[in-house]
Amino acid sequence: MSKQAGLLPAIDLTADTPCCPPLAQSRVPAQTAAVLAPAFKALGDPVRLQLMSMIASAKGGEACVCDLTPAFDLTGPTISHHLKTLREAGLVDAERRGTWVYYRARPAILRQLAGLLSVEPAAVA
């Protein structure tokens, strides 16, 4: 870790304003990369990417694990592991209601990730 790392402001991934310019415009600072990498890593698995898509596009903004599990040819504990990974990466929130757990995407973090990957057209001279 660099000597300056402790002097940098904390990165708020829940803010409505971008954490940093798109990576096509400037280099991603090391601290920002360290904060964002776990979310990208979590989405790097095909099952987790599909789960994230199902949760983010669910009617009412949330999805019950009881509706997610049957969509895959995987065991319940395996789906739970993938959902835990998404939760620990900060991509989803979870709420237990009786027997079931309901998952909700965290839109601000998804906007941060999307903003970092956006590619703006080059200005015409």
Side-chain angles (χ1 to χ4, degrees), residues 55 57-63 104:
I55 295 166
S57 65
K59 291 181 181 174
E62 64 183 11
R104 226 176 233 296

Side-chain angles (χ1 to χ4, degrees), residues 24-50:
Q25 291 180 3
S26 68
R27 180 179 175 181
V28 177
Q31 181 186 19
T32 303
V35 171
L36 295 175
F40 282 115
K41 183 175 180 181
L43 293 173
D45 179 270
V47 171
R48 289 193 289 268
L49 186 58
Q50 287 180 296

Side-chain angles (χ1 to χ4, degrees), residues 42 45-51 65 68-87 103:
D45 179 270
V47 171
R48 289 193 289 268
L49 186 58
Q50 287 180 296
L51 283 167
V65 69
L68 298 171
T69 304
F72 299 91
D73 189 23
L74 299 169
T75 65
T78 300
I79 296 296
S80 292
H81 164 76
H82 286 299
L83 290 167
K84 178 183 175 187
T85 301
L86 292 174
R87 193 175 65 248
Y103 291 88

